[in-house]
Amino acid sequence: MATPSLEAVAKAMVAPGKGLLAADESTGTIEKRLAGIKVANTEENRRAYRDLLFTTKGLSQYISGVILYDETLRQKAADGTPFAELLAKNGILPGIKVDAGAKDLAFCPGEKVTEGLDNLAKRCAEYVKLGARFAKWRAVITIGVDIPSSTCISANAHALARYAAVCQQAGLVPIVEPEVLMDGNHIIHRCEEVTEWTLNAVYEALYLNRVALERSVLKPSMVISGKDCPEQAEVAEVAERTVRVLKRTVPGAVAGIMFLSGGQSDELATEHLNAMNKMSSGRLPWTLSFSYGRALQAPSLKAWKGAAANAAAGQAALLHRARMNSLACAGQYNASLEEQALAA
Ligand code: 13P
């Protein structure tokens, strides 16, 4: 079968009512998630957990793709099928995190730059052979006293653009992920300002690096109040400010926008997405969807607790959150649906 074009893959990622499951936690990050349910971070436990997620029946109704980590892309389901093959057979696109993590940025205390450009073309070629269809690179921008600096914004924008160009040349759709962190006590206006600055820099860098926007997906953070800010903006304000910034900065040619959850609670991440879609009711040039990690997985991890006997409960929790977010893509989510699910 011919490999689908990058445009077709990007379109499939943002198909109506569908989003991505980010299951690409590095070995260090998944350790934190597993520690939360007192499960040891062994290779087999990581495999078993991902097996549970990926074999959830009906997942493809709400999930168009799954972002994997290098180790996971090489692992197999219990029946011996490689995860990438299993997902593809179920109509879910396999993706791969290709960055090597955010590292301290020289001369810029408190700021990070994402590494991973070395050998990227070679690694992408291997990932394509292993079945990956799209890739992810996450840049982090920290808000604090006198930061972010323009050094940090431009270094991260440049790296994101270099990554995106390499991916497209290798045959992967790049997810461009500039995350403005919610850590800190800043008011929402500051987050809006920094997000606008960041996205402008990112799209300028993508242009300079000849990236075809139609073959790319944006994964931004939402415009929200700092986690420790005493004044937490309401859902409507988050939705308005986020959509306003996106309209100002993201070209209409971009295939779609799939938000990260960034540490928001699972239900709040759904509410925010729903509010944005409800207020814009199809009038935006791009789809607004989700690419959540924690906000999709947290209830599932809690239900599973590392016990095979709880696997079905873990899958039911994932399917429920995926369905809630699918409804939010159409502005049709309602918090009362959560209670109905609990009562069921
Ligand atoms: P969160 O939704 O937990 O922020 O994870 C999404 C992701 O892929 C971060 O890079």
Side-chain angles (χ1 to χ4, degrees):
M1 211 171 65
T3 315
S5 70
L6 293 190
E7 277 94 338
V9 171
K11 275 212 182 103
M13 289 164 74
V14 292
K18 291 191 187 185
L20 302 179
L21 165 63
D24 61 325
E25 299 85 358
S26 62
T27 307
T29 302
I30 197 71
E31 177 158 20
K32 290 186 216 155
R33 310 278 184 266
L34 294 175
I37 53 164
K38 299 194 170 59
V39 170
N41 188 23
T42 62
E43 186 180 346
E44 174 47 27
N45 285 344
R46 294 192 291 273
R47 195 209 60 76
Y49 174 55
R50 267 72 182 246
D51 194 327
L52 174 160
L53 297 176
F54 307 160
T55 57
T56 300
K57 289 219 166 48
L59 196 62
S60 65
Q61 206 183 328
Y62 314 118
I63 298 293
S64 56
V66 174
I67 318 175
L68 305 167
Y69 181 57
D70 183 279
E71 175 187 273
T72 324
L73 183 61
R74 300 170 196 280
Q75 285 176 325
K76 295 178 173 136
D79 70 358
T81 314
F83 279 139
E85 195 182 316
L86 173 110
L87 290 166
K89 262 192 203 151
N90 291 336
I92 296 179
L93 294 158
I96 179 75
K97 182 226 297 289
V98 301
D99 69 65
K103 306 287 160 62
D104 289 343
L105 178 60
F107 297 127
C108 294
E111 298 193 286
K112 308 264 183 203
V113 65
T114 303
E115 295 188 351
L117 290 170
D118 288 351
N119 295 322
L120 183 59
K122 204 168 143 209
R123 288 192 289 125
C124 285
E126 189 196 2
Y127 290 143
V128 168
K129 278 197 193 128
L130 288 169
R133 291 285 167 262
F134 65 92
K136 174 191 122 169
W137 177 291
R138 170 176 175 258
V140 297
I141 307 296
T142 311
I143 298 181
V145 180
D146 296 332
I147 59 170
S149 63
S150 51
T151 314
C152 172
I153 303 261
S154 69
N156 277 293
H158 175 77
L160 272 168
R162 289 272 319 278
Y163 138 82
V166 170
C167 283
Q168 289 188 339
Q169 194 160 54
L172 293 167
V173 169
I175 297 180
V176 174
E177 181 179 0
E179 175 173 5
V180 175
L181 295 177
M182 62 190 274
D183 300 342
N185 59 6
H186 50 273
I187 58 168
I188 189 168
H189 174 72
R190 180 76 180 127
C191 179
E192 181 172 351
E193 205 172 59
V194 171
T195 306
E196 185 171 342
W197 181 14
T198 302
L199 289 174
N200 271 315
V202 166
Y203 280 99
E204 185 184 2
L206 290 171
Y207 174 71
L208 290 173
N209 284 275
R210 308 181 179 188
V211 173
L213 299 183
E214 294 81 355
R215 302 175 190 167
S216 74
V217 167
L218 175 68
K219 174 162 171 167
S221 38
M222 296 177 193
V223 174
I224 51 179
S225 314
K227 203 167 63 185
D228 303 322
C229 178
E231 210 181 306
Q232 289 292 311
E234 299 287 332
V235 171
E237 186 177 359
V238 168
E240 272 164 35
R241 287 183 187 263
T242 305
V243 170
R244 180 162 70 200
V245 168
L246 294 172
K247 278 186 181 163
R248 284 179 181 165
T249 56
V250 185
V254 169
I257 298 181
M258 310 183 91
F259 291 99
L260 59 91
S261 61
Q264 300 178 47
S265 76
D266 46 359
E267 290 183 21
L268 195 54
T270 308
E271 275 189 61
H272 285 151
L273 178 63
N274 185 63
M276 283 185 253
N277 279 309
K278 206 166 170 177
M279 67 178 255
S280 15
S281 55
R283 288 189 311 268
L284 298 172
W286 358 255
T287 313
L288 297 182
S289 173
F290 59 95
S291 173
Y292 293 162
R294 284 162 284 182
L296 275 172
Q297 293 184 48
S300 184
L301 269 169
K302 231 166 102 185
W304 174 53
K305 298 188 197 77
N310 297 332
Q315 294 184 328
L318 171 67
L319 197 64
H320 171 68
R321 281 270 44 89
R323 189 168 83 85
M324 295 297 103
N325 286 304
S326 169
L327 289 169
C329 288
Q332 286 170 1
Y333 167 79
N334 187 312
S336 69
L337 296 167
E338 306 281 357
E339 287 145 35
Q340 285 171 23
L342 284 178

